[in-house]
Amino acid sequence: MMEQTFGTHDQFNNGVGFFDLNMYLLGVPITIRVDDFLPFWGSYTTTLSAKVTNKGVWMPLLEKAFAKILGNYSGLVAGTTDDALMVLSGFPSSRVTVSASSSDTELCDTMKHAMEHNDILACDSVSAPPFSWVPGHAFTLLGCYDVNGEKLVKVRNPWGRDAGVTQPWNDSDSIWGTVS
């Protein structure tokens, strides 16, 4: 999807000072041109919400293109992942909101249904999410697995950190060593 968004030519070494990103509005393809001036602060590794790692600037450029579509950076605050997926892919997407009453079985069933219909699926959490998830945050649903008799929902935290999750099956839990 990122190659489709940024194109196949090497925009990162052309030295012209701008980037063209291919996106969609209401399913219609558009090209958003952004310059290479990015609003960093602190250690020059963090923009509004994107963290730059391994000298990669694609995420802050994508963030800037979204801000341009929405009118300014403040439009990015509390956006929804399903809207972002629709702008990136041009296809309708669905969103699952995880709350305190959500169960792993419910999430797995929703994911399986979405995958069977080739739907794009986004996930976010509300003020009191289960599973020690960060409240009011978006996650990527990667899969649902039955491991040792337990249903596990594999998620990716786009902020790239565990956020203090201490429940079983967290990133540093030794139980992962028992799974082949």
Side-chain angles (χ1 to χ4, degrees):
M1 190 180 292
M2 287 300 100
E3 185 173 298
Q4 173 187 332
T5 301
F6 284 97
T8 55
H9 61 286
D10 189 3
Q11 294 193 74
F12 294 95
N13 294 317
N14 64 15
V16 296
F18 64 84
F19 298 84
D20 290 329
L21 285 78
N22 302 309
M23 299 177 138
Y24 298 86
L25 275 181
L26 302 174
V28 177
I30 60 169
T31 299
I32 301 292
R33 179 168 283 177
V34 295
D35 61 38
D36 59 0
F37 292 98
L38 300 171
F40 289 99
W41 66 78
S43 65
Y44 298 105
T45 61
T46 305
T47 60
L48 177 65
S49 59
K51 186 158 179 84
V52 177
T53 57
N54 297 329
K55 300 180 184 177
V57 296
W58 66 270
M59 189 62 210
L61 290 169
L62 192 59
E63 181 180 71
K64 187 169 189 170
F66 270 97
K68 190 170 184 178
I69 288 172
L70 298 171
N72 56 43
Y73 277 92
S74 65
L76 295 173
V77 177
T80 62
T81 51
D82 54 322
D83 288 340
L85 289 169
M86 196 164 22
V87 169
L88 286 172
S89 69
F91 296 104
S93 63
S94 301
R95 178 171 34 134
V96 174
T97 299
V98 178
S99 67
S101 63
S102 298
S103 70
D104 50 4
T105 302
E106 178 185 9
L107 282 173
C108 286
D109 291 347
T110 301
M111 288 178 66
K112 287 177 185 174
H113 181 267
M115 286 189 248
E116 287 169 1
H117 292 90
N118 294 319
D119 289 346
I120 297 174
L121 187 61
C123 180
D124 57 22
S125 61
V126 294
S127 59
F131 322 121
S132 297
W133 288 12
V134 178
H137 190 53
F139 294 87
T140 307
L141 294 173
L142 300 175
C144 183
Y145 306 92
D146 193 337
V147 179
N148 297 342
E150 290 190 58
K151 284 194 184 277
L152 298 178
V153 178
K154 183 176 183 182
V155 298
R156 179 184 170 275
N157 178 351
W159 287 71
R161 54 185 179 262
D162 201 348
V165 176
T166 58
Q167 290 184 332
W169 299 100
N170 69 63
D171 289 346
S172 57
D173 192 339
S174 61
I175 197 165
W176 286 110
T178 67
V179 178
S180 56

